[in-house]
Amino acid sequence: MHIDEEALLASLKRLRHEGPDPSIGDHLARIVQAVDDIFGYDGAGLMFADETRTLRYLIATDEPGRSLERAQEEVGQGPCMDAYLHDTAITTADAQADTRWPLLAALLHPRVHAVAGVPVRLAGGPVGSLNVYRAEPIEWDATDIQALHSYSKIIEQVVASALAAEEHGALAKQLQYALDYRVLIERAIGFLMGRLSFTADEAFTALRKRARDNRRRIVDVAAEVLGQQTP
């Protein structure tokens, strides 16, 4: 779709220079709504990973968007999940028919078709995904992805500022907790990749299986693999 560059720049400037918000959640919700309003997508949303590297629903502009996020949370697959896991933009012309995620379509709202997602990054790695959807199948172009990346940068700045200010809201605490443990889990994944020649996905699957088999948290298993105590 055609991106109005003046509208994009004006929106980004306004969001960058807004004053401190009493709630990080309110600020993030405004950013996600701006993505939807400026570009005329049918909906937008934001997901963040927990300490198990599973994306969780955080914000959506409407019910179909919530179905997109909750469906991916339930089945563990989808374009937003892949944007986070592979740290790159992921698009689909029609999520209802895309064979990359065979379990997804049955749980999607019928209005959700074309989906695009980009990673949200902190501390050198992905922590979530910003996503948009259209109510009809379309092919996404480079301007859509560039715009989403621009807004993901604003989200990163908001979250980083809130954490640096030691904000004490529930969302800030959740994000800090997930970020702290993500670093530990990623280190354990890297260790297994080097020691056992695993891929990143194979290493994480091994950690998760060991945690489930022993009814333990995955972060505790990661700490054990690294030979250290959980913080």
Side-chain angles (χ1 to χ4, degrees):
M1 66 178 290
H2 173 69
I3 298 294
D4 185 332
E5 292 189 6
E6 290 187 4
L8 170 62
L9 291 173
S11 175
L12 292 173
K13 183 177 181 180
R14 182 173 63 254
L15 290 166
R16 281 195 179 99
H17 295 290
E18 283 184 344
D21 229 284
S23 165
I24 181 177
D26 289 344
H27 201 157
L28 293 175
R30 279 210 302 274
I31 296 170
V32 172
Q33 189 63 57
V35 173
D36 193 25
D37 292 343
I38 292 292
F39 306 117
Y41 300 123
D42 290 295
L46 180 63
M47 303 181 77
F48 268 85
D50 64 13
E51 72 276 11
T52 70
R53 292 176 88 230
T54 299
L55 282 190
R56 301 296 185 190
Y57 162 80
L58 184 63
I59 296 166
T61 56
D62 58 9
E63 186 54 40
R66 280 186 284 276
S67 86
L68 171 63
E69 298 194 355
R70 286 173 173 155
Q72 292 178 99
E73 183 176 333
E74 181 171 337
V75 301
Q77 60 178 232
C80 310
M81 189 72 71
D82 280 1
Y84 161 69
L85 289 174
H86 301 293
D87 195 15
T88 190
I90 299 290
T91 64
T92 176
D94 190 358
Q96 302 275 0
D98 200 313
T99 58
R100 287 177 289 179
W101 312 295
L103 302 177
L104 190 62
L107 299 178
L108 290 177
H109 191 283
R111 279 180 55 81
V112 176
H113 285 279
V115 178
V118 298
V120 175
R121 308 180 85 248
L122 280 174
V127 294
S129 167
L130 173 64
N131 56 84
V132 295
Y133 81 88
R134 299 296 299 271
E136 68 281 339
I138 64 162
E139 294 292 342
W140 301 93
D141 62 35
T143 57
D144 291 293
I145 303 308
Q146 290 168 2
L148 288 176
H149 276 304
S150 295
Y151 279 94
S152 75
K153 297 298 183 188
I154 299 296
I155 291 170
E156 291 162 9
Q157 292 170 16
V158 168
V159 175
S161 295
L163 297 183
E166 298 183 351
E167 184 171 324
H168 297 294
L171 177 57
K173 290 179 180 178
Q174 176 187 338
L175 295 176
Q176 184 65 65
Y177 178 81
L179 182 60
D180 289 344
Y181 284 141
R182 191 212 74 198
V183 172
L184 189 65
I185 292 166
E186 294 296 338
R187 285 179 57 202
I189 288 171
F191 175 82
L192 291 176
M193 290 172 66
R195 176 66 62 88
L196 302 175
S197 298
F198 281 170
T199 66
D201 287 344
E202 288 170 342
F204 178 67
T205 298
L207 288 173
R208 182 169 56 186
K209 183 178 186 303
R210 185 168 175 180
R212 287 177 175 174
D213 289 348
N214 293 279
R215 297 183 179 181
R216 301 173 64 195
R217 297 185 307 166
I218 191 170
V219 67
D220 295 322
V221 173
E224 184 178 80
V225 166
L226 294 170
Q228 63 185 57
Q229 297 283 321
T230 306

